[in-house]
Amino acid sequence: MNIGQAAKASGISGKMIRYYESIGLIPPIKRTESGYRVFSEKDVHALRFISRARDLGFSVEQMGNLLALWQDRHRASADVKAVAQAHIEELDLKIKKLQDMRQTLEHLVDHCHGDERPDCPILSGLAAEGVEESAEVDVETS
């Protein structure tokens, strides 16, 4: 199957498939003499695995580790569990930071009159120096 068909079957865009191939997350895909990629069912199965791992928020590095463990029939399940547990800890930290951000913003909103006055605690809070670093978080996952 071609890249468009593989993308549709796996739920990963053609652009991301090419990216994953370029960084070595997936092995080089077989090509025709004219250079077109030809995906096997095994390739698509690996792409579906990546799609599910990505949906769960695993990083590219973690996905690579999980793929290697998935393909290693002699792996210890403890190794897989360790990767998943580490990810849960990362998610818990992100959740905590998001909750802190929400609490800070809720506090600012609660103290804003929302009327015709120019004074705005929200803008003052955003402009204040020494704003808690815990209110900053990168929630984007790889």
Side-chain angles (χ1 to χ4, degrees):
M1 84 181 57
N2 66 30
I3 195 165
Q5 294 165 325
K8 186 174 181 181
S10 68
I12 297 176
S13 71
K15 182 177 181 179
M16 288 306 295
I17 292 171
R18 287 187 286 277
Y19 171 70
Y20 291 150
E21 183 182 17
S22 74
I23 64 169
L25 184 60
I26 58 174
I29 303 299
K30 292 180 184 169
R31 294 180 182 253
T32 64
E33 284 185 27
S34 55
Y36 291 103
R37 292 173 178 84
V38 179
F39 293 82
S40 68
E41 282 300 320
K42 182 180 175 184
D43 296 328
V44 172
H45 194 74
L47 290 170
R48 285 189 193 118
F49 181 96
I50 291 168
S51 178
R52 181 71 176 129
R54 187 176 66 179
D55 288 346
L56 292 173
F58 285 100
S59 68
V60 171
E61 181 182 349
Q62 290 168 324
M63 288 189 294
N65 292 339
L66 288 169
L67 269 171
L69 289 166
W70 180 52
Q71 294 164 346
D72 178 3
R73 298 289 179 205
H74 301 290
R75 70 184 171 263
S77 64
D79 296 337
V80 180
K81 185 175 182 176
V83 173
Q85 187 63 49
H87 185 54
I88 289 171
E89 291 168 11
E90 292 170 3
L91 290 173
D92 286 342
L93 181 61
K94 286 180 180 181
I95 290 168
K96 170 76 171 95
K97 288 181 177 182
L98 284 170
Q99 289 171 333
D100 290 346
M101 288 170 54
R102 186 184 192 289
Q103 184 177 5
T104 299
L105 187 55
E106 194 168 54
H107 174 79
L108 293 171
V109 167
D110 287 346
H111 288 84
C112 180
H113 295 285
D115 56 19
E116 307 305 319
R117 291 184 269 183
D119 295 338
C120 180
I122 298 169
L123 295 176
S124 297
L126 293 173
E129 291 189 33
V131 174
E132 295 179 30
E133 286 187 29
S134 65
E136 299 175 14
V137 64
D138 178 12
V139 295
E140 185 178 319
T141 57
S142 304

